[in-house]
PDB file of all heavy atoms in Angstrom:
ATOM      1  N   LEU V 102     -17.276 -17.672 -46.004  1.00  0.00           N
ATOM      2  CA  LEU V 102     -18.490 -17.272 -45.293  1.00  0.00           C
ATOM      3  C   LEU V 102     -18.068 -16.663 -43.967  1.00  0.00           C
ATOM      4  O   LEU V 102     -17.366 -17.296 -43.175  1.00  0.00           O
ATOM      5  CB  LEU V 102     -19.395 -18.483 -45.020  1.00  0.00           C
ATOM      6  CG  LEU V 102     -20.702 -18.130 -44.273  1.00  0.00           C
ATOM      7  CD1 LEU V 102     -21.716 -17.487 -45.224  1.00  0.00           C
ATOM      8  CD2 LEU V 102     -21.317 -19.374 -43.609  1.00  0.00           C
ATOM      9  N   LEU V 103     -18.503 -15.431 -43.735  1.00  0.00           N
ATOM     10  CA  LEU V 103     -18.170 -14.745 -42.489  1.00  0.00           C
ATOM     11  C   LEU V 103     -19.401 -14.739 -41.594  1.00  0.00           C
ATOM     12  O   LEU V 103     -20.491 -14.348 -42.041  1.00  0.00           O
ATOM     13  CB  LEU V 103     -17.714 -13.322 -42.811  1.00  0.00           C
ATOM     14  CG  LEU V 103     -17.254 -12.462 -41.636  1.00  0.00           C
ATOM     15  CD1 LEU V 103     -16.058 -11.609 -42.057  1.00  0.00           C
ATOM     16  CD2 LEU V 103     -18.370 -11.559 -41.135  1.00  0.00           C
ATOM     17  N   ILE V 104     -19.245 -15.176 -40.339  1.00  0.00           N
ATOM     18  CA  ILE V 104     -20.355 -15.119 -39.386  1.00  0.00           C
ATOM     19  C   ILE V 104     -20.439 -13.669 -38.929  1.00  0.00           C
ATOM     20  O   ILE V 104     -19.552 -13.179 -38.227  1.00  0.00           O
ATOM     21  CB  ILE V 104     -20.126 -16.062 -38.181  1.00  0.00           C
ATOM     22  CG1 ILE V 104     -19.666 -17.451 -38.637  1.00  0.00           C
ATOM     23  CG2 ILE V 104     -21.368 -16.129 -37.309  1.00  0.00           C
ATOM     24  CD1 ILE V 104     -20.643 -18.200 -39.493  1.00  0.00           C
ATOM     25  N   GLY V 105     -21.502 -12.994 -39.320  1.00  0.00           N
ATOM     26  CA  GLY V 105     -21.507 -11.540 -39.250  1.00  0.00           C
ATOM     27  C   GLY V 105     -22.181 -10.947 -38.044  1.00  0.00           C
ATOM     28  O   GLY V 105     -22.333  -9.741 -37.940  1.00  0.00           O
ATOM     29  N   THR V 106     -22.589 -11.759 -37.098  1.00  0.00           N
ATOM     30  CA  THR V 106     -23.229 -11.235 -35.906  1.00  0.00           C
ATOM     31  C   THR V 106     -22.948 -12.198 -34.772  1.00  0.00           C
ATOM     32  O   THR V 106     -22.861 -13.406 -34.983  1.00  0.00           O
ATOM     33  CB  THR V 106     -24.740 -11.035 -36.126  1.00  0.00           C
ATOM     34  OG1 THR V 106     -25.351 -10.675 -34.883  1.00  0.00           O
ATOM     35  CG2 THR V 106     -25.413 -12.292 -36.652  1.00  0.00           C
ATOM     36  N   ALA V 107     -22.736 -11.675 -33.578  1.00  0.00           N
ATOM     37  CA  ALA V 107     -22.413 -12.524 -32.428  1.00  0.00           C
ATOM     38  C   ALA V 107     -23.589 -12.525 -31.463  1.00  0.00           C
ATOM     39  O   ALA V 107     -23.862 -11.515 -30.838  1.00  0.00           O
ATOM     40  CB  ALA V 107     -21.163 -12.003 -31.725  1.00  0.00           C
ATOM     41  N   PRO V 108     -24.316 -13.633 -31.365  1.00  0.00           N
ATOM     42  CA  PRO V 108     -25.419 -13.689 -30.405  1.00  0.00           C
ATOM     43  C   PRO V 108     -24.865 -13.520 -28.998  1.00  0.00           C
ATOM     44  O   PRO V 108     -23.689 -13.782 -28.755  1.00  0.00           O
ATOM     45  CB  PRO V 108     -25.983 -15.104 -30.584  1.00  0.00           C
ATOM     46  CG  PRO V 108     -25.296 -15.690 -31.766  1.00  0.00           C
ATOM     47  CD  PRO V 108     -24.054 -14.917 -32.010  1.00  0.00           C
ATOM     48  N   LYS V 109     -25.708 -13.100 -28.060  1.00  0.00           N
ATOM     49  CA  LYS V 109     -25.277 -12.888 -26.680  1.00  0.00           C
ATOM     50  C   LYS V 109     -24.618 -14.166 -26.149  1.00  0.00           C
ATOM     51  O   LYS V 109     -25.150 -15.256 -26.290  1.00  0.00           O
ATOM     52  CB  LYS V 109     -26.489 -12.525 -25.808  1.00  0.00           C
ATOM     53  CG  LYS V 109     -26.099 -11.764 -24.553  1.00  0.00           C
ATOM     54  CD  LYS V 109     -27.310 -11.103 -23.905  1.00  0.00           C
ATOM     55  CE  LYS V 109     -26.980 -10.608 -22.503  1.00  0.00           C
ATOM     56  NZ  LYS V 109     -25.906  -9.579 -22.490  1.00  0.00           N
ATOM     57  N   GLY V 110     -23.432 -14.019 -25.581  1.00  0.00           N
ATOM     58  CA  GLY V 110     -22.697 -15.177 -25.077  1.00  0.00           C
ATOM     59  C   GLY V 110     -21.785 -15.802 -26.109  1.00  0.00           C
ATOM     60  O   GLY V 110     -20.950 -16.635 -25.782  1.00  0.00           O
ATOM     61  N   GLY V 111     -21.935 -15.405 -27.386  1.00  0.00           N
ATOM     62  CA  GLY V 111     -21.002 -15.894 -28.402  1.00  0.00           C
ATOM     63  C   GLY V 111     -21.211 -17.345 -28.807  1.00  0.00           C
ATOM     64  O   GLY V 111     -20.336 -17.948 -29.422  1.00  0.00           O
TER      65      GLY V 111
END
Side-chain angles (χ1 to χ4, degrees):
Chain V
L102 180 77
L103 183 142
I104 313 298
T106 173
K109 203 165 167 62

